[in-house]
Amino acid sequence: MAETKDTPLSREDVLANLREFVLENVVKDSEADIDGRTPLLELGILNSLSTAELIAHVRAEFGVFVPPERIFGSNFKNLEAVTSLVLALREEYSETA
């Protein structure tokens, strides 16, 4: 995808990208049954290392930096929450740019 901060993104596109990343790089099973509401932290899918990898992916793929004060459980509980975080950070960046 390699979007820039100025490129509009749909919620569905972000969610699909994040799901693909988690399936291929964290779960390592592209057929796993993970959707936007799957409890990633509760099921142990995301841990400290995989969360760091996901944050790096968000920066590389969507051009947004996730500040340390935004790295807490409710922002990473599921892919819907991560999607909301990405879109909020992009919106905040566009308002300050």
Side-chain angles (χ1 to χ4, degrees):
M1 187 172 286
E3 303 285 345
T4 66
K5 289 177 231 152
D6 301 320
T7 305
L9 285 175
S10 74
R11 181 172 195 82
E12 295 77 22
D13 289 342
V14 174
L15 181 60
N17 179 285
L18 295 172
R19 181 179 181 276
E20 181 179 335
F21 176 82
V22 168
L23 289 175
E24 291 179 4
N25 299 284
V26 178
V27 178
K28 298 184 182 353
D29 177 3
S30 62
E31 301 299 317
D33 187 23
I34 292 179
D35 64 24
R37 295 201 171 134
T38 300
L40 302 175
L41 296 174
E42 195 175 301
L43 295 176
I45 295 168
L46 283 184
N47 57 34
S48 57
L49 180 59
S50 57
T51 300
E53 291 170 346
L54 180 58
I55 290 168
H57 173 75
V58 164
R59 185 163 192 178
E61 195 69 16
F62 302 110
V64 294
F65 172 73
V66 180
E69 63 270 13
R70 300 293 281 274
I71 302 172
F72 50 86
S74 64
N75 280 336
F76 292 89
K77 67 182 177 183
N78 57 41
L79 291 176
E80 287 286 348
V82 181
T83 298
S84 294
L85 175 64
V86 169
L87 294 172
L89 290 170
R90 285 175 56 96
E91 181 67 26
E92 289 170 19
Y93 172 80
S94 68
E95 291 174 358
T96 60

